[in-house]
Amino acid sequence: MKPHASAPAVSILFAGLFLCAPLHAADLSVAVAANFTAPMQKIAEVFEKDTGHKLVLSFGSTGKFYAQIKNGAPFEVLFAADDETPARLEREGDGVAGTRFTYAIGKLVLWSKQAGLVDDQGEVLRKGRFERIALADPRLAPYGAAAMQTLNKLGLADSLASKFVQGENIGQTYQFVATQNAPLGFVALSQVYADGRVTEGSAWIVPGELYEPIRQDVLVLAKGKDNAAAAALMDYMKGDTARDIIRSYGYAL
Amino acid sequence: MAVLDDGAWQAIRLTLELASLTTVLLLIIATPLAWWLSQTRSKWRAPIGALVTLPLVLPPTVLGFYLLVLMGPQGPLGQLTLALGWGTLSFTFTGLLIGSIVFSLPFAVQPIQHAFEAIGPRPLEAAATLRASPLDAFFTVALPLARPGLLTASILSFAHTVGEFGVVLMIGGNIPGQTRVVSTQIYGHVEAMEYAQAHWLAGGMVAFSFVILLSLSLLRRSGGGFMR
């Protein structure tokens, strides 16, 4: 130890410490669409290990996040379930221009917990031998809108309308089918998919031409403008590590 | 300017139907239950009383989730209704009615029970000395004396059912005319960023609830408490 360390040197040392602190261990408040919960938790784990930044994750519906962000919620990044909400926030000046991009493209699946109920061509829809079919509210959830587009394309929207039960988001829709209160329903592939296959029950992965791609966009919000962790996360999402995780949950990219 | 659209009126009608039926059924269920709780010395009194109060403290997500599981084809209630040929109750008006009864049970039982307890043993003993049978005494003495409690129970059950949200959301499935009530309709508007429609319904809800609570407190004052 040097007893004569000069005062300016010490203050520079301390100043450096304080300046570095936010760069190395910044907390980032992130709002995440419910359907992206599982992949985001995994990405957060490796992101925190790789960069030292810490993510504080909130999961919920994109519509609710929009209302909260407009009313001063402290979120710095939004992972939306659609591409409209981030575009709108950017337009309205609540996001950082130019930071928006598509981080995942959701896939729709017709799923039943019962083995053999859903065939791999979706013929079960035409036969209509079920009392109820669950889908997310098309007004509120992009996966619900995609389900409606599919049924419209198949010409079945009217004949099946009386059998609809609607979840307010895709998580609740999954719950209806998982508890078998609805024998089958349209859910997000990411909810029933792991390691390259549907984990249980029976499923028809709806062909992409039957619905508009479910683009899920991310946006750095105004409150995250000067947070280094926000920029680091955006870069990380474009890297292979994150993209591989996203794909493993059944999203396209 | 059409302030409320057809969907809104349908939801209002359904909500009032649900709340009225829930209130009537709750009075029929809660009155004997409250009477028993107020009179018994059974060791079951405390556990049953706690069970009745449970919906007061449980979050609606817990109630809704268990109702969904119970009513599902794998659940005991679902298996019963399937065996009876009724299908499952989730996503039906009947299912919603059962959920509402469970949800508002403490709001009906507690005021009635307090009213019965406030009567005390005297009037009933007097009735007995006049050779009234216990059933007679119940209908001619206890029930009329407990009227303020019954009134409070009715108003609270009705208002609480109108304000019910979480349970409906979880077992309802948002079917127009069947399970889409005012609270879930408002929620849909807010989520879809249709704030104007949401405001009309939500503002109406605030006004309605205020009037209910105001009339309750005015009624209590004029009634002079539970004992007259």
Side-chain angles (χ1 to χ4, degrees):
Chain A
M1 253 211 288
K2 266 190 172 180
H4 295 296
S6 62
V10 171
S11 36
I12 287 167
L13 189 76
F14 271 98
L17 273 178
F18 280 114
L19 282 175
C20 287
L23 277 178
H24 282 300
D27 279 6
L28 185 67
S29 175
V30 187
V32 184
N35 77 75
F36 200 62
T37 301
M40 196 62 213
Q41 279 166 339
K42 213 164 197 179
I43 291 169
E45 210 176 288
V46 288
F47 173 76
E48 288 177 0
K49 214 176 281 166
D50 285 357
T51 65
H53 296 301
K54 197 173 160 355
L55 301 183
V56 183
L57 303 176
S58 303
F59 302 100
S61 83
T62 303
K64 210 172 290 135
F65 283 138
Y66 174 84
Q68 290 171 347
I69 290 162
K70 292 303 284 184
N71 289 288
F75 300 122
E76 294 167 290
V77 175
L78 169 69
F79 285 82
D82 63 358
D83 52 358
E84 273 167 43
T85 310
R88 186 166 168 178
L89 284 167
E90 187 179 355
R91 209 167 48 235
E92 291 169 346
D94 298 292
V96 180
T99 56
R100 183 165 54 89
F101 69 94
T102 303
Y103 65 91
I105 297 171
K107 284 192 204 161
L108 186 68
V109 62
L110 180 66
W111 180 64
S112 169
K113 197 155 180 198
Q114 231 173 298
L117 187 91
V118 177
D119 56 283
D120 58 7
Q121 300 294 315
E123 281 302 313
V124 63
L125 290 172
R126 281 191 205 288
K127 294 192 187 112
R129 281 195 215 109
F130 47 84
E131 268 184 67
R132 298 190 177 99
I133 179 164
L135 65 161
D137 190 332
R139 285 191 318 157
L140 310 184
Y143 285 94
M148 275 313 287
Q149 289 162 5
T150 301
L151 290 174
N152 276 324
K153 273 248 169 81
L154 294 173
L156 294 168
D158 291 334
S159 60
L160 290 178
S162 61
K163 296 179 177 181
F164 287 172
V165 290
Q166 294 179 357
E168 61 110 352
N169 60 44
I170 201 64
Q172 207 197 5
T173 311
Y174 170 81
Q175 197 180 78
F176 288 161
V177 187
T179 58
Q180 298 192 40
N181 278 284
L184 74 172
F186 286 100
V187 299
L189 183 60
S190 59
Q191 292 173 307
V192 297
Y193 196 82
D195 307 323
R197 62 186 193 88
V198 173
T199 48
E200 64 170 328
S202 51
W204 172 50
I205 298 177
V206 181
E209 63 267 22
L210 290 178
Y211 60 93
E212 307 257 318
I214 304 166
R215 288 183 188 284
Q216 306 197 179
D217 281 9
V218 61
L219 174 72
V220 177
L221 300 166
K223 289 209 160 78
K225 193 167 175 263
D226 299 320
N227 191 333
L233 180 61
M234 292 302 100
D235 283 345
Y236 202 83
M237 293 308 292
K238 291 170 186 160
D240 284 341
T241 315
R243 289 167 73 97
D244 285 346
I245 292 173
I246 293 169
R247 273 195 213 98
S248 76
Y249 281 91
Y251 293 95
L253 256 178
Chain B
M1 179 175 84
V3 170
L4 294 174
D5 55 16
D6 289 350
W9 285 115
Q10 190 180 41
I12 290 172
R13 204 159 42 236
L14 186 71
T15 305
L16 295 178
E17 249 173 63
L18 180 69
S20 312
L21 263 172
T22 302
T23 306
V24 170
L25 290 174
L26 263 179
L27 284 181
I28 295 172
I29 296 166
T31 307
L33 193 56
W35 176 250
W36 182 81
L37 283 170
S38 71
Q39 303 298 313
T40 187
R41 291 193 188 101
S42 157
K43 61 175 179 180
W44 291 102
R45 183 182 185 274
I48 300 273
L51 207 62
V52 166
T53 315
L54 215 48
L56 192 71
V57 292
L58 283 179
T61 44
V62 171
L63 287 178
F65 180 63
Y66 278 129
L67 281 169
L68 196 64
V69 172
L70 280 176
M71 288 177 180
Q74 310 294 314
L77 191 59
Q79 297 205 325
L80 178 74
T81 54
L82 280 173
L84 292 169
W86 297 344
T88 49
L89 294 176
S90 40
F91 319 126
T92 65
F93 183 79
T94 313
L96 222 55
L97 191 59
I98 292 175
S100 306
I101 288 172
V102 173
F103 184 58
S104 294
L105 189 63
F107 290 82
V109 170
Q110 289 197 346
I112 304 178
Q113 186 187 339
H114 292 318
F116 282 145
E117 280 166 356
I119 294 171
R122 282 268 175 105
L124 294 167
E125 281 166 12
T129 56
L130 295 169
R131 291 197 196 165
S133 71
L135 203 65
D136 230 9
F138 173 76
F139 279 108
T140 56
V141 179
L143 216 47
L145 282 174
R147 218 176 54 196
L150 289 165
L151 199 63
T152 306
S154 313
I155 294 177
L156 283 181
S157 305
F158 190 88
H160 196 235
T161 306
V162 170
E164 183 180 358
F165 171 66
V167 173
V168 180
L169 193 73
M170 291 192 71
I171 64 173
N174 198 21
I175 302 165
Q178 277 276 325
T179 61
R180 187 184 291 167
V181 296
V182 174
S183 59
T184 50
Q185 178 94 343
I186 293 173
Y187 184 74
H189 283 317
V190 173
E191 290 284 289
M193 304 172 199
E194 297 159 355
Y195 293 163
Q197 286 99 315
H199 271 311
W200 281 109
L201 275 175
M205 197 81 135
V206 172
F208 168 82
S209 306
F210 177 77
V211 168
I212 286 274
L213 293 177
L214 184 70
S215 57
L216 193 65
S217 105
L218 291 177
L219 219 70
R220 274 201 182 133
R221 189 168 303 171
S222 71
F226 289 142
M227 281 292 285
R228 253 189 279 182

